[in-house]
Amino acid sequence: MDAAALLSPDQLLAAIAGRLAEPFPLITWARELGDLHAALISAVLNRRPSEVTEAALYADIAKVIDKINSWAASYVRHSRCARRHTHTFGEVISHVAKTYAEAWWTVLHSDCEELRHSAWVHLSEVRDGYEHLIGDIRAGRVQLPLGWRGIRNAPQEDC
């Protein structure tokens, strides 16, 4: 598999929404990120004691991002002479999933038509950005970083 097999923007949005169920890891992970970001919105806004904490959701999101980054290290084209991108492939997929979840939450829960419209516009911009990124990856114009989870409080076995 190579960069030509990456999910198109429409496939990615369908995967995040759970409307694409092919047995492909990237589809599964995109759906997981969509679900996790939706749960995070609920956890942040409800502020009620819950079985799932914000910290646990963030940790689960980071784990899925790591899985995508590991997959991308093997399957996404790396061009040494290309400009460097600021985010890993997993971070990009997570950002699309987060934006999708936030846009849908806004559309379903806001009475403000202008706010709902701006949520859709923002989702469209993120979708277009992903489309351009995929084009740049396929053309060898961009190199994605491999990833680093950053500073975290983790058990020694994660080292």
Side-chain angles (χ1 to χ4, degrees), residues 77-87 129-137 139-145:
R77 180 179 178 176
H78 297 280
S79 302
R80 296 194 194 287
C81 298
R83 69 177 168 80
R84 294 184 185 266
H85 197 271
T86 58
H87 293 84
Y130 174 78
E131 182 173 36
H132 291 287
L133 176 62
I134 295 304
D136 286 346
I137 291 169
R141 291 188 298 261
V142 68
Q143 178 181 342
L144 299 170

Side-chain angles (χ1 to χ4, degrees), residues 34-48:
D35 290 346
L36 289 167
H37 282 292
L40 187 57
I41 292 169
S42 180
V44 168
L45 294 177
N46 287 334
R47 294 287 180 202
R48 289 181 278 198

Side-chain angles (χ1 to χ4, degrees), residues 65-81:
I65 289 172
D66 283 348
K67 290 176 187 178
I68 294 171
N69 289 341
S70 293
W71 175 88
S74 297
Y75 294 108
V76 174
R77 180 179 178 176
H78 297 280
S79 302
R80 296 194 194 287
C81 298

Side-chain angles (χ1 to χ4, degrees), residues 21-39:
E22 297 171 22
F24 183 51
L26 198 52
I27 292 170
T28 301
W29 296 324
R31 173 60 191 261
E32 285 180 39
L33 286 170
D35 290 346
L36 289 167
H37 282 292

